[in-house]
Amino acid sequence: MTDHEILIAASKIKHLKGLTVNEMLFHSNLMDEFDLAVNEKNLSRTKFILKALNLNSETIQEIINKIAT
């Protein structure tokens, strides 16, 4: 997926509130792209996807810390 495609997919769920990160990834159809980034330990790609979902910096850093270890 291109960066542009990720941003478009993420924008489709902006109206939904109260979702978990997994729910956001699922409903935006970004789960496979996220899993690929995580499995490759591609932290910059992982951050990009999480930022596209409008997660706050603290939440993103918590997820990155779990992946990096």
Side-chain angles (χ1 to χ4, degrees):
M1 251 183 170
T2 66
D3 289 352
H4 183 70
E5 291 170 326
I6 289 171
L7 293 172
I8 290 170
S11 72
K12 292 179 181 176
I13 64 155
K14 293 192 186 218
H15 67 283
L16 300 176
K17 304 291 181 203
L19 298 179
T20 66
V21 175
N22 281 338
E23 289 169 333
M24 289 180 190
L25 290 165
F26 176 78
H27 289 293
S28 63
N29 293 317
L30 291 172
M31 185 71 77
D32 290 340
E33 192 71 23
F34 180 79
D35 286 344
L36 179 63
V38 169
N39 290 334
E40 291 177 350
K41 299 241 183 226
N42 186 339
L43 300 181
S44 63
R45 187 71 166 171
T46 303
K47 283 182 186 180
F48 180 80
I49 294 168
L50 296 172
K51 284 181 183 180
L53 294 171
N54 287 326
L55 294 176
N56 65 47
S57 297
E58 183 179 298
T59 301
I60 292 171
Q61 194 57 52
E62 287 175 14
I63 293 168
I64 293 301
N65 289 344
K66 289 179 186 176
I67 294 167
T69 59

